[in-house]
């Protein structure tokens, strides 16, 4: 958040030989959109979208032969015996049936035709998340080593189909997919979006809507910012007032809300069905007014402050010398870890301006040990690097151009010591930053962030002194001080979110703004078909609809 903010101190690659093939340049996606430019604004009826014209850019594309067409007789043929492949087939049918109007039965019989979802590729360069998609006259076949790859391949198939495929009512076809092969795998293992459900609360349905949107762009992490000064959003049985009292308001004084444990489990389940891991965050030791207001004993003076509905930061701190503080942290992390199948727990650590430095370091030592004790990997905002990150901890960098050299060096030093970094530069991928001076929603403390600025940076070289091998991935956070609904989230997230997803997925060799903006423009009608009211950035050659 980030009003009146001054900064305090401010993978594995799965591609292997695939990248070499790309570099050898059969037909990389970076080159494809040139030829695709005309298709953006006037896709001739019946002519399929060029094979590489998707977001994120695929690693390798080889157009070839006749297109495939989905028809009334098409079957979705999944690997018999794989429950996951069956579920992905059902998911795909769920996307395709309303708009095509076809039955699209999902079957375990492989007739060799139709839409085929196959597990068990021998191409180790695909890793756990890569896939190949082969499209020809009689069939389109997606092959992967694991279900996540199959799911990402299905997103590619979706994007290759006409935009109207996203509609919920029957549309006119034809439903063609260009002929050829896509061979694809992610650059980074961590590709995330963060939703701040604390400043304003978002319902389970709203979170699911965002999950579906980020899954379309092959992200694989949903970071939920579950607590902050303005609201505590997750039920904790051993400290029931956190949610029941600390969750009952939000910025501006609205009713707030919180997730029951079953709500949270439903979010986790739904995210997993889209191959997304939930990364829950309890922001500590600052950003804790909602907790301090809920339990007087957490305060050094034993007096609970009132609930807070403003937008300042840096004024709250847990009482780091008190033993009860660590009972609290332990109980919260224990219950959250038990609810969370994913490997990470995010413990915040940002803007702890009301915690002395030594207290901060001592607190973060204890909090990290608690996360480890409950079997999880620590993630913290990059201020964690000003304490002592434990082995295996991940730091999330949210600095920006104005971030001082000393703070950057601290992060680089931590990286040299083995701390992996997730990059979320605020003046690039904080999706709540205004696009320009006329943007009604959002904040501007990191500056205006137009679409090109958001896309046009290289995570592998972004931080001086940090080798590419220290970068675990990219995450696009969206803070919700000014955002109260899915519609408002989407006005800020789109069209920048697909760019952040592409930075996380696509090989650096495909990075090219002029090519990207054409592929992004082609997403405009898809956003509209999905009911996403996106920002019509003048930097992007949107088709006239
Ligand atoms: C942050 O924006 N304070 C992580």
């Amino acid at each position: 958040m980030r009003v009146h903010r001054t900064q305090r101190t401010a993978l594995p690659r799965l591609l292997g030989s695939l990248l070499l093939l790309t570099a050898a340049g059969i037909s990389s996606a970076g080159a494809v959109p040139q030829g695709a430019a005309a298709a953006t604004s006037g896709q001739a009826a019946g002519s399929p979208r060029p094979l590489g014209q998707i977001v994120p850019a695929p690693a390798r594309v080889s157009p070839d032969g006749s297109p495939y067409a989905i028809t009334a007789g098409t079957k979705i043929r999944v690997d018999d015996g794989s429950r996951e492949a069956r579920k992905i087939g059902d998911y795909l049918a769920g996307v395709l049936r309303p708009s095509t109007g076809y039955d699209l039965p999902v079957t375990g019989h492989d007739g060799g035709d139709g839409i085929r979802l196959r597990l068990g590729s021998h191409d180790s360069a695909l890793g756990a998340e890569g896939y190949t998609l082969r499209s020809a006259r009689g069939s389109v076949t997606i092959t992967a080593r694991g279900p996540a790859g199959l799911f990402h391949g299905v997103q590619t198939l979706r994007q290759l189909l006409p935009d109207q495929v996203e509609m919920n009512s029957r549309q006119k076809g034809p439903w063609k997919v260009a002929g050829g092969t896509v061979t694809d795998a992610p650059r980074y293992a961590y590709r995330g979006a963060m939703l701040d459900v604390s400043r304003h609360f978002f319902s389970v349905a709203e979170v699911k809507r965002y999950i579906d949107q980020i899954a379309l762009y092959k992200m694989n992490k949903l970071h939920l910012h579950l607590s902050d000064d303005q609201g505590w959003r997750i039920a904790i049985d051993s400290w029931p007032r956190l949610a029941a009292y600390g969750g009952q308001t939000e910025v501006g004084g609205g009713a707030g809300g919180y997730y029951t444990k079953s709500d949270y489990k439903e979010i986790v389940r739904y995210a997993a069905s889209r191959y997304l891991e939930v990364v829950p965050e309890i922001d500590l030791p600052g950003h804790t007014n909602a907790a301090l207001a809920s339990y007087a004993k957490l305060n050094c003076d034993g007096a609970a402050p009132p609930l807070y509905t403003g937008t300042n930061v840096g004024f709250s701190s847990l009482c780091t010398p008190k033993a009860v503080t660590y009972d609290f942290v332990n109980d919260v992390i224990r219950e959250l870890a038990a609810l969370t199948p994913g490997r990470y727990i995010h413990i915040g650590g940002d803007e702890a301006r009301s915690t002395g430095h030594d207290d901060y370091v001592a607190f973060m030592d204890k909090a990290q040990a608690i996360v480890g004790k409950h079997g999880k990997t620590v993630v913290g905002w990059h201020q964690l690097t000003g304490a002592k990150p434990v082995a295996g901890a991940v730091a999330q960098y949210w600095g920006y151009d104005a971030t001082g050299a000393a703070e950057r060096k601290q992060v680089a030093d931590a990286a040299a010591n083995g701390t992996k970094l997730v990059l979320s530069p605020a003046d690039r991928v904080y999706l709540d930053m205004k696009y320009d001076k006329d943007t009604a929603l959002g904040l501007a403390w990191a500056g205006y962030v137009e679409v090109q600025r958001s896309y046009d940076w290289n995570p592998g070289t972004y931080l001086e002194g940090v080798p590419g091998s220290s970068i675990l991935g990219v995450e696009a956070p969206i803070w919700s001080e000014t955002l109260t609904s899915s519609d408002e989230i989407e006005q800020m997230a789109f069209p920048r979110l697909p760019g952040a997803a592409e930075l996380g997925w696509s090989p650096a060799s495909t990075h090219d703004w002029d090519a990207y903006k054409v592929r992004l423009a082609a997403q405009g009608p898809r956003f509209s078909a999905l009911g996403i009211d996106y920002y019509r950035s003048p930097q992007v050659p949107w088709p006239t609809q």
Side-chain angles (χ1 to χ4, degrees), residues 400 426-427 433-435 443-450 453 496:
Y400 57 121
D427 54 355
M433 289 298 113
K434 290 177 184 288
Y435 298 98
L443 302 173
W445 58 262
Y448 299 129
V449 183
E450 251 291 1
R453 179 169 179 77
R496 291 179 293 195

Side-chain angles (χ1 to χ4, degrees), residues 1-2 5 350-351 381 398 430 479:
M1 157 136 188
R2 304 100 256 245
R5 166 172 10 205
D350 59 320
E351 295 175 314
W381 297 103
W398 60 282
Y430 265 29
W479 301 97

Side-chain angles (χ1 to χ4, degrees), residues 167-240:
M167 309 276 287
N168 269 327
S169 56
R170 191 170 177 161
Q171 306 294 311
K172 208 159 128 303
W175 306 103
K176 287 189 187 170
V177 180
T181 303
V182 177
T183 308
D184 202 10
R187 180 180 184 187
Y188 293 115
Y190 190 117
R191 308 177 307 280
M194 187 210 82
L195 187 57
D196 172 9
V197 297
S198 180
R199 272 46 176 277
H200 282 100
F201 181 64
F202 295 94
S203 67
V204 173
E206 288 169 319
V207 175
K208 287 183 175 177
R209 183 172 164 89
Y210 204 51
I211 286 172
D212 280 330
Q213 291 166 357
I214 70 181
L216 174 58
Y217 296 99
K218 302 187 175 79
M219 284 184 164
N220 67 357
K221 302 282 182 277
L222 175 70
H223 169 183
L224 287 176
H225 185 75
L226 288 170
S227 70
D228 213 304
D229 292 318
Q230 297 86 347
W232 185 283
R233 306 298 181 207
I234 177 74
I236 299 294
D237 296 338
S238 51
W239 295 73

Side-chain angles (χ1 to χ4, degrees), residues 395-408:
Q396 183 171 7
Y397 182 77
W398 60 282
Y400 57 121
D401 279 3
T403 297
E407 184 169 343
R408 287 169 190 267

Side-chain angles (χ1 to χ4, degrees), residues 90 98 136 192 243 264 326 351-352 355 419-420 457-458 499:
D90 288 341
Y264 180 82
Y326 302 96
E351 295 175 314
T355 317
T419 299
K420 297 280 191 230
W457 58 285
N458 180 354

Side-chain angles (χ1 to χ4, degrees), residues 375-412:
K376 299 296 183 186
T377 297
V378 170
V379 188
W381 297 103
H382 74 259
Q383 282 70 26
L384 173 64
T385 63
K388 288 179 278 176
V390 294
V394 174
Q396 183 171 7
Y397 182 77
W398 60 282
Y400 57 121
D401 279 3
T403 297
E407 184 169 343
R408 287 169 190 267
K409 182 166 182 318
Q410 189 176 76
V411 173

